[in-house]
Amino acid sequence: HNERRPEACPECGTLDHLVACGPGVERIAEEVVAHFPDARTIVLSSDLLGGVRRLRLELEAVANGEADIVIGTQLVAKGHNFPGMTLVGVVDADLGLANGDPRAAERTFQLLSQVTGRAGRTGKKSLGLLQTYQPDHPVMRAIVSGDSEAFYEREIAERERAGLPPFGRLAGIIVSAATRAEAESHARGLRRAAPQASDLFVLGPAEAPLSLIGGRHRFRLLVQGERRADMQGFIRAMLAEGPKLRGSVRVQVDIDPQSFL
C-alpha cells in the first residue's frame, strides 16, 4: 500500500510545507544542545563535512575524553574504543527489524550488542537505553538479558523451520530499467517463465526496498528452495525462457544473497 504525500496540510491547508522529518543525527543534535547547552557535543556521521580527515579527528577527540555527548549513526558501533563512555542510548532500536531481510534479527542483535558494548568498557558502572516499539521482541529480550546463546538457538530453529540458509537455498534476481514499467514488465515475464519444480519456488516480483538507484527502477524476485535443489539450473532455464533483454533492461542474479535491498 502506498499513498502520495498531500500537497496541502490536511489540518490547516498550508501548501508545500510537508517535508520528511525523522530522528536524524542533526535533528537529535539540535534537541540535545537545547537541553544541555553547556555540554560538549560531537556529531559523528560518515557524511560529515571535511570527510575522512575530520571524522578521524572527531573520533580521536571522543577517545581522549574531549566530548560529553556523542551523537552518531551506526558508525559509532564499529570497532571504536571510547574508554570514558558509561551511558549509551539507541533511538529507534528496532528500525532494522522492519525490512525483508531474513537476517534482520541477527543483524539487529549484532549491532545493538556492539553499540551498547561501547559503554563501561573500562569496568565503570554503565547503562544502555533502547527505544523500541517491540519490547517483547526476541532481539530486545536477548539484549536486555544478555543471553546470546538462547537468541541464536531460537534464530537457528526459525531458519530451519522456514527453510532459510543454511538449511535451504536462496537466490535474488534484480531487474532494473530506466522506467518503472520496463522493469516491472520484464520481472513479471521472468516469473511466468519459471519452470515447474517441487523443490524450488519463486516469490515476487515486488519493488526492491531500494527501488530507485542511479535513475534506474528496480524489481526483485526471490527464488527459495531446498538445500540440495539445482538452483543454478532452475535460474538458467528461467532466464532462457523469459523475455529477452531489450532497451535499458538489466538482470542481476545473486546466489545466497547477503543483501536484500
PDB file of all heavy atoms in Angstrom, residues 9-40:
ATOM      1  N   CYS A   9      -1.430  20.672   3.868  1.00  0.00           N
ATOM      2  CA  CYS A   9      -1.624  20.066   5.181  1.00  0.00           C
ATOM      3  C   CYS A   9      -3.120  19.760   5.369  1.00  0.00           C
ATOM      4  O   CYS A   9      -3.968  20.638   5.194  1.00  0.00           O
ATOM      5  CB  CYS A   9      -1.153  21.026   6.266  1.00  0.00           C
ATOM      6  SG  CYS A   9      -1.546  20.448   7.944  1.00  0.00           S
ATOM      7  N   PRO A  10      -3.469  18.516   5.740  1.00  0.00           N
ATOM      8  CA  PRO A  10      -4.887  18.177   5.903  1.00  0.00           C
ATOM      9  C   PRO A  10      -5.544  18.892   7.081  1.00  0.00           C
ATOM     10  O   PRO A  10      -6.770  18.967   7.154  1.00  0.00           O
ATOM     11  CB  PRO A  10      -4.863  16.657   6.125  1.00  0.00           C
ATOM     12  CG  PRO A  10      -3.477  16.350   6.571  1.00  0.00           C
ATOM     13  CD  PRO A  10      -2.590  17.349   5.922  1.00  0.00           C
ATOM     14  N   GLU A  11      -4.741  19.449   7.987  1.00  0.00           N
ATOM     15  CA  GLU A  11      -5.304  20.149   9.153  1.00  0.00           C
ATOM     16  C   GLU A  11      -5.535  21.634   8.891  1.00  0.00           C
ATOM     17  O   GLU A  11      -6.611  22.160   9.132  1.00  0.00           O
ATOM     18  CB  GLU A  11      -4.378  19.979  10.365  1.00  0.00           C
ATOM     19  CG  GLU A  11      -4.286  18.564  10.881  1.00  0.00           C
ATOM     20  CD  GLU A  11      -5.597  18.082  11.488  1.00  0.00           C
ATOM     21  OE1 GLU A  11      -6.341  18.926  12.038  1.00  0.00           O
ATOM     22  OE2 GLU A  11      -5.889  16.876  11.389  1.00  0.00           O
ATOM     23  N   CYS A  12      -4.487  22.321   8.365  1.00  0.00           N
ATOM     24  CA  CYS A  12      -4.584  23.779   8.229  1.00  0.00           C
ATOM     25  C   CYS A  12      -4.646  24.258   6.781  1.00  0.00           C
ATOM     26  O   CYS A  12      -4.887  25.440   6.517  1.00  0.00           O
ATOM     27  CB  CYS A  12      -3.411  24.457   8.935  1.00  0.00           C
ATOM     28  SG  CYS A  12      -1.803  24.131   8.153  1.00  0.00           S
ATOM     29  N   GLY A  13      -4.384  23.347   5.819  1.00  0.00           N
ATOM     30  CA  GLY A  13      -4.474  23.724   4.420  1.00  0.00           C
ATOM     31  C   GLY A  13      -3.247  24.409   3.851  1.00  0.00           C
ATOM     32  O   GLY A  13      -3.251  24.822   2.697  1.00  0.00           O
ATOM     33  N   THR A  14      -2.166  24.543   4.642  1.00  0.00           N
ATOM     34  CA  THR A  14      -0.954  25.204   4.147  1.00  0.00           C
ATOM     35  C   THR A  14      -0.320  24.388   3.031  1.00  0.00           C
ATOM     36  O   THR A  14      -0.168  23.172   3.155  1.00  0.00           O
ATOM     37  CB  THR A  14       0.061  25.395   5.288  1.00  0.00           C
ATOM     38  OG1 THR A  14      -0.555  26.129   6.339  1.00  0.00           O
ATOM     39  CG2 THR A  14       1.286  26.152   4.790  1.00  0.00           C
ATOM     40  N   LEU A  15       0.077  25.047   1.946  1.00  0.00           N
ATOM     41  CA  LEU A  15       0.647  24.367   0.786  1.00  0.00           C
ATOM     42  C   LEU A  15       2.158  24.224   0.904  1.00  0.00           C
ATOM     43  O   LEU A  15       2.847  25.086   1.462  1.00  0.00           O
ATOM     44  CB  LEU A  15       0.315  25.142  -0.492  1.00  0.00           C
ATOM     45  CG  LEU A  15      -1.161  25.135  -0.940  1.00  0.00           C
ATOM     46  CD1 LEU A  15      -1.375  26.166  -2.034  1.00  0.00           C
ATOM     47  CD2 LEU A  15      -1.550  23.742  -1.427  1.00  0.00           C
ATOM     48  N   ASP A  16       2.694  23.124   0.367  1.00  0.00           N
ATOM     49  CA  ASP A  16       4.140  22.914   0.194  1.00  0.00           C
ATOM     50  C   ASP A  16       4.933  23.057   1.493  1.00  0.00           C
ATOM     51  O   ASP A  16       6.043  23.591   1.494  1.00  0.00           O
ATOM     52  CB  ASP A  16       4.701  23.895  -0.850  1.00  0.00           C
ATOM     53  CG  ASP A  16       4.088  23.681  -2.219  1.00  0.00           C
ATOM     54  OD1 ASP A  16       3.788  22.516  -2.537  1.00  0.00           O
ATOM     55  OD2 ASP A  16       3.899  24.664  -2.952  1.00  0.00           O
ATOM     56  N   HIS A  17       4.379  22.594   2.608  1.00  0.00           N
ATOM     57  CA  HIS A  17       5.118  22.659   3.867  1.00  0.00           C
ATOM     58  C   HIS A  17       5.299  21.292   4.518  1.00  0.00           C
ATOM     59  O   HIS A  17       5.838  21.209   5.625  1.00  0.00           O
ATOM     60  CB  HIS A  17       4.403  23.599   4.850  1.00  0.00           C
ATOM     61  CG  HIS A  17       4.782  25.040   4.680  1.00  0.00           C
ATOM     62  ND1 HIS A  17       4.508  25.734   3.526  1.00  0.00           N
ATOM     63  CD2 HIS A  17       5.433  25.913   5.505  1.00  0.00           C
ATOM     64  CE1 HIS A  17       4.961  26.976   3.644  1.00  0.00           C
ATOM     65  NE2 HIS A  17       5.519  27.109   4.827  1.00  0.00           N
ATOM     66  N   LEU A  18       4.871  20.231   3.854  1.00  0.00           N
ATOM     67  CA  LEU A  18       5.029  18.894   4.413  1.00  0.00           C
ATOM     68  C   LEU A  18       6.346  18.304   3.920  1.00  0.00           C
ATOM     69  O   LEU A  18       6.532  18.061   2.735  1.00  0.00           O
ATOM     70  CB  LEU A  18       3.862  17.996   3.998  1.00  0.00           C
ATOM     71  CG  LEU A  18       2.486  18.401   4.555  1.00  0.00           C
ATOM     72  CD1 LEU A  18       1.409  17.495   3.997  1.00  0.00           C
ATOM     73  CD2 LEU A  18       2.486  18.340   6.077  1.00  0.00           C
ATOM     74  N   VAL A  19       7.277  18.087   4.847  1.00  0.00           N
ATOM     75  CA  VAL A  19       8.582  17.537   4.498  1.00  0.00           C
ATOM     76  C   VAL A  19       8.915  16.411   5.461  1.00  0.00           C
ATOM     77  O   VAL A  19       8.408  16.353   6.583  1.00  0.00           O
ATOM     78  CB  VAL A  19       9.698  18.608   4.558  1.00  0.00           C
ATOM     79  CG1 VAL A  19       9.459  19.676   3.519  1.00  0.00           C
ATOM     80  CG2 VAL A  19       9.789  19.220   5.948  1.00  0.00           C
ATOM     81  N   ALA A  20       9.772  15.502   4.998  1.00  0.00           N
ATOM     82  CA  ALA A  20      10.213  14.408   5.867  1.00  0.00           C
ATOM     83  C   ALA A  20      10.976  14.972   7.058  1.00  0.00           C
ATOM     84  O   ALA A  20      11.825  15.843   6.912  1.00  0.00           O
ATOM     85  CB  ALA A  20      11.091  13.448   5.072  1.00  0.00           C
ATOM     86  N   CYS A  21      10.674  14.466   8.237  1.00  0.00           N
ATOM     87  CA  CYS A  21      11.320  14.982   9.455  1.00  0.00           C
ATOM     88  C   CYS A  21      11.540  13.812  10.404  1.00  0.00           C
ATOM     89  O   CYS A  21      10.715  13.540  11.277  1.00  0.00           O
ATOM     90  CB  CYS A  21      10.439  16.047  10.106  1.00  0.00           C
ATOM     91  SG  CYS A  21      11.260  16.930  11.459  1.00  0.00           S
ATOM     92  N   GLY A  22      12.608  13.082  10.203  1.00  0.00           N
ATOM     93  CA  GLY A  22      12.900  11.904  11.019  1.00  0.00           C
ATOM     94  C   GLY A  22      13.904  12.197  12.109  1.00  0.00           C
ATOM     95  O   GLY A  22      14.389  13.319  12.253  1.00  0.00           O
ATOM     96  N   PRO A  23      14.237  11.164  12.911  1.00  0.00           N
ATOM     97  CA  PRO A  23      15.189  11.358  14.011  1.00  0.00           C
ATOM     98  C   PRO A  23      16.635  11.265  13.536  1.00  0.00           C
ATOM     99  O   PRO A  23      17.417  10.437  14.011  1.00  0.00           O
ATOM    100  CB  PRO A  23      14.839  10.216  14.964  1.00  0.00           C
ATOM    101  CG  PRO A  23      14.359   9.127  14.062  1.00  0.00           C
ATOM    102  CD  PRO A  23      13.667   9.811  12.912  1.00  0.00           C
ATOM    103  N   GLY A  24      16.999  12.065  12.522  1.00  0.00           N
ATOM    104  CA  GLY A  24      18.370  12.069  12.036  1.00  0.00           C
ATOM    105  C   GLY A  24      19.314  12.670  13.065  1.00  0.00           C
ATOM    106  O   GLY A  24      18.894  13.336  14.014  1.00  0.00           O
ATOM    107  N   VAL A  25      20.622  12.429  12.872  1.00  0.00           N
ATOM    108  CA  VAL A  25      21.594  12.880  13.867  1.00  0.00           C
ATOM    109  C   VAL A  25      21.583  14.400  14.022  1.00  0.00           C
ATOM    110  O   VAL A  25      21.792  14.917  15.124  1.00  0.00           O
ATOM    111  CB  VAL A  25      23.016  12.369  13.526  1.00  0.00           C
ATOM    112  CG1 VAL A  25      23.125  10.879  13.757  1.00  0.00           C
ATOM    113  CG2 VAL A  25      23.410  12.726  12.103  1.00  0.00           C
ATOM    114  N   GLU A  26      21.338  15.126  12.907  1.00  0.00           N
ATOM    115  CA  GLU A  26      21.340  16.585  13.011  1.00  0.00           C
ATOM    116  C   GLU A  26      20.189  17.075  13.889  1.00  0.00           C
ATOM    117  O   GLU A  26      20.365  17.977  14.721  1.00  0.00           O
ATOM    118  CB  GLU A  26      21.237  17.221  11.622  1.00  0.00           C
ATOM    119  CG  GLU A  26      22.439  17.001  10.731  1.00  0.00           C
ATOM    120  CD  GLU A  26      22.369  15.691   9.979  1.00  0.00           C
ATOM    121  OE1 GLU A  26      21.361  14.950  10.171  1.00  0.00           O
ATOM    122  OE2 GLU A  26      23.301  15.383   9.224  1.00  0.00           O
ATOM    123  N   ARG A  27      19.019  16.476  13.702  1.00  0.00           N
ATOM    124  CA  ARG A  27      17.867  16.907  14.498  1.00  0.00           C
ATOM    125  C   ARG A  27      18.059  16.530  15.972  1.00  0.00           C
ATOM    126  O   ARG A  27      17.732  17.302  16.871  1.00  0.00           O
ATOM    127  CB  ARG A  27      16.584  16.261  13.960  1.00  0.00           C
ATOM    128  CG  ARG A  27      15.346  16.784  14.671  1.00  0.00           C
ATOM    129  CD  ARG A  27      14.090  16.190  14.095  1.00  0.00           C
ATOM    130  NE  ARG A  27      12.936  16.685  14.829  1.00  0.00           N
ATOM    131  CZ  ARG A  27      11.806  16.023  14.977  1.00  0.00           C
ATOM    132  NH1 ARG A  27      11.695  14.822  14.460  1.00  0.00           N
ATOM    133  NH2 ARG A  27      10.802  16.531  15.637  1.00  0.00           N
ATOM    134  N   ILE A  28      18.580  15.342  16.224  1.00  0.00           N
ATOM    135  CA  ILE A  28      18.840  14.935  17.605  1.00  0.00           C
ATOM    136  C   ILE A  28      19.854  15.877  18.246  1.00  0.00           C
ATOM    137  O   ILE A  28      19.720  16.268  19.408  1.00  0.00           O
ATOM    138  CB  ILE A  28      19.339  13.477  17.646  1.00  0.00           C
ATOM    139  CG1 ILE A  28      18.215  12.533  17.207  1.00  0.00           C
ATOM    140  CG2 ILE A  28      19.812  13.107  19.050  1.00  0.00           C
ATOM    141  CD1 ILE A  28      18.645  11.088  17.053  1.00  0.00           C
ATOM    142  N   ALA A  29      20.872  16.258  17.465  1.00  0.00           N
ATOM    143  CA  ALA A  29      21.880  17.180  17.984  1.00  0.00           C
ATOM    144  C   ALA A  29      21.253  18.516  18.367  1.00  0.00           C
ATOM    145  O   ALA A  29      21.605  19.104  19.405  1.00  0.00           O
ATOM    146  CB  ALA A  29      22.982  17.385  16.949  1.00  0.00           C
ATOM    147  N   GLU A  30      20.318  19.013  17.562  1.00  0.00           N
ATOM    148  CA  GLU A  30      19.649  20.277  17.884  1.00  0.00           C
ATOM    149  C   GLU A  30      18.921  20.180  19.221  1.00  0.00           C
ATOM    150  O   GLU A  30      18.986  21.102  20.050  1.00  0.00           O
ATOM    151  CB  GLU A  30      18.657  20.633  16.775  1.00  0.00           C
ATOM    152  CG  GLU A  30      19.301  21.029  15.454  1.00  0.00           C
ATOM    153  CD  GLU A  30      18.267  21.233  14.355  1.00  0.00           C
ATOM    154  OE1 GLU A  30      17.051  21.117  14.665  1.00  0.00           O
ATOM    155  OE2 GLU A  30      18.667  21.494  13.205  1.00  0.00           O
ATOM    156  N   GLU A  31      18.227  19.067  19.447  1.00  0.00           N
ATOM    157  CA  GLU A  31      17.481  18.905  20.693  1.00  0.00           C
ATOM    158  C   GLU A  31      18.424  18.734  21.882  1.00  0.00           C
ATOM    159  O   GLU A  31      18.170  19.247  22.977  1.00  0.00           O
ATOM    160  CB  GLU A  31      16.536  17.708  20.571  1.00  0.00           C
ATOM    161  CG  GLU A  31      15.470  17.896  19.504  1.00  0.00           C
ATOM    162  CD  GLU A  31      14.408  16.817  19.539  1.00  0.00           C
ATOM    163  OE1 GLU A  31      14.379  16.034  20.510  1.00  0.00           O
ATOM    164  OE2 GLU A  31      13.594  16.764  18.595  1.00  0.00           O
ATOM    165  N   VAL A  32      19.522  18.022  21.677  1.00  0.00           N
ATOM    166  CA  VAL A  32      20.493  17.833  22.757  1.00  0.00           C
ATOM    167  C   VAL A  32      21.101  19.163  23.180  1.00  0.00           C
ATOM    168  O   VAL A  32      21.227  19.463  24.377  1.00  0.00           O
ATOM    169  CB  VAL A  32      21.596  16.842  22.318  1.00  0.00           C
ATOM    170  CG1 VAL A  32      22.796  16.922  23.265  1.00  0.00           C
ATOM    171  CG2 VAL A  32      21.056  15.424  22.291  1.00  0.00           C
ATOM    172  N   VAL A  33      21.481  19.967  22.195  1.00  0.00           N
ATOM    173  CA  VAL A  33      22.076  21.269  22.509  1.00  0.00           C
ATOM    174  C   VAL A  33      21.076  22.148  23.253  1.00  0.00           C
ATOM    175  O   VAL A  33      21.439  22.899  24.179  1.00  0.00           O
ATOM    176  CB  VAL A  33      22.556  21.961  21.207  1.00  0.00           C
ATOM    177  CG1 VAL A  33      22.941  23.406  21.483  1.00  0.00           C
ATOM    178  CG2 VAL A  33      23.735  21.202  20.619  1.00  0.00           C
ATOM    179  N   ALA A  34      19.793  22.042  22.880  1.00  0.00           N
ATOM    180  CA  ALA A  34      18.767  22.837  23.565  1.00  0.00           C
ATOM    181  C   ALA A  34      18.609  22.397  25.021  1.00  0.00           C
ATOM    182  O   ALA A  34      18.424  23.233  25.910  1.00  0.00           O
ATOM    183  CB  ALA A  34      17.434  22.708  22.826  1.00  0.00           C
ATOM    184  N   HIS A  35      18.702  21.092  25.283  1.00  0.00           N
ATOM    185  CA  HIS A  35      18.545  20.570  26.646  1.00  0.00           C
ATOM    186  C   HIS A  35      19.817  20.694  27.476  1.00  0.00           C
ATOM    187  O   HIS A  35      19.758  20.884  28.691  1.00  0.00           O
ATOM    188  CB  HIS A  35      18.121  19.103  26.594  1.00  0.00           C
ATOM    189  CG  HIS A  35      16.674  18.896  26.236  1.00  0.00           C
ATOM    190  ND1 HIS A  35      15.642  19.179  27.102  1.00  0.00           N
ATOM    191  CD2 HIS A  35      16.103  18.450  25.101  1.00  0.00           C
ATOM    192  CE1 HIS A  35      14.485  18.902  26.519  1.00  0.00           C
ATOM    193  NE2 HIS A  35      14.736  18.459  25.294  1.00  0.00           N
ATOM    194  N   PHE A  36      20.978  20.551  26.815  1.00  0.00           N
ATOM    195  CA  PHE A  36      22.260  20.570  27.538  1.00  0.00           C
ATOM    196  C   PHE A  36      23.196  21.584  26.870  1.00  0.00           C
ATOM    197  O   PHE A  36      24.197  21.206  26.242  1.00  0.00           O
ATOM    198  CB  PHE A  36      22.898  19.179  27.541  1.00  0.00           C
ATOM    199  CG  PHE A  36      21.987  18.085  28.011  1.00  0.00           C
ATOM    200  CD1 PHE A  36      21.370  17.234  27.100  1.00  0.00           C
ATOM    201  CD2 PHE A  36      21.744  17.900  29.373  1.00  0.00           C
ATOM    202  CE1 PHE A  36      20.530  16.224  27.533  1.00  0.00           C
ATOM    203  CE2 PHE A  36      20.900  16.894  29.811  1.00  0.00           C
ATOM    204  CZ  PHE A  36      20.287  16.053  28.898  1.00  0.00           C
ATOM    205  N   PRO A  37      22.900  22.872  27.001  1.00  0.00           N
ATOM    206  CA  PRO A  37      23.681  23.893  26.280  1.00  0.00           C
ATOM    207  C   PRO A  37      25.139  23.972  26.711  1.00  0.00           C
ATOM    208  O   PRO A  37      25.987  24.445  25.942  1.00  0.00           O
ATOM    209  CB  PRO A  37      22.940  25.201  26.608  1.00  0.00           C
ATOM    210  CG  PRO A  37      22.180  24.905  27.870  1.00  0.00           C
ATOM    211  CD  PRO A  37      21.820  23.465  27.806  1.00  0.00           C
ATOM    212  N   ASP A  38      25.462  23.523  27.922  1.00  0.00           N
ATOM    213  CA  ASP A  38      26.838  23.629  28.406  1.00  0.00           C
ATOM    214  C   ASP A  38      27.675  22.388  28.108  1.00  0.00           C
ATOM    215  O   ASP A  38      28.879  22.370  28.381  1.00  0.00           O
ATOM    216  CB  ASP A  38      26.839  23.880  29.919  1.00  0.00           C
ATOM    217  CG  ASP A  38      26.168  25.204  30.277  1.00  0.00           C
ATOM    218  OD1 ASP A  38      26.286  26.150  29.474  1.00  0.00           O
ATOM    219  OD2 ASP A  38      25.516  25.286  31.340  1.00  0.00           O
ATOM    220  N   ALA A  39      27.056  21.341  27.588  1.00  0.00           N
ATOM    221  CA  ALA A  39      27.782  20.102  27.305  1.00  0.00           C
ATOM    222  C   ALA A  39      28.559  20.224  25.996  1.00  0.00           C
ATOM    223  O   ALA A  39      28.142  20.919  25.074  1.00  0.00           O
ATOM    224  CB  ALA A  39      26.811  18.928  27.231  1.00  0.00           C
ATOM    225  N   ARG A  40      29.693  19.539  25.938  1.00  0.00           N
ATOM    226  CA  ARG A  40      30.473  19.478  24.708  1.00  0.00           C
ATOM    227  C   ARG A  40      29.908  18.335  23.864  1.00  0.00           C
ATOM    228  O   ARG A  40      30.048  17.166  24.225  1.00  0.00           O
ATOM    229  CB  ARG A  40      31.945  19.238  25.023  1.00  0.00           C
ATOM    230  CG  ARG A  40      32.598  20.339  25.846  1.00  0.00           C
ATOM    231  CD  ARG A  40      33.967  19.920  26.337  1.00  0.00           C
ATOM    232  NE  ARG A  40      33.875  18.767  27.250  1.00  0.00           N
ATOM    233  CZ  ARG A  40      34.926  18.134  27.760  1.00  0.00           C
ATOM    234  NH1 ARG A  40      36.146  18.536  27.447  1.00  0.00           N
ATOM    235  NH2 ARG A  40      34.771  17.102  28.576  1.00  0.00           N
TER     236      ARG A  40
END
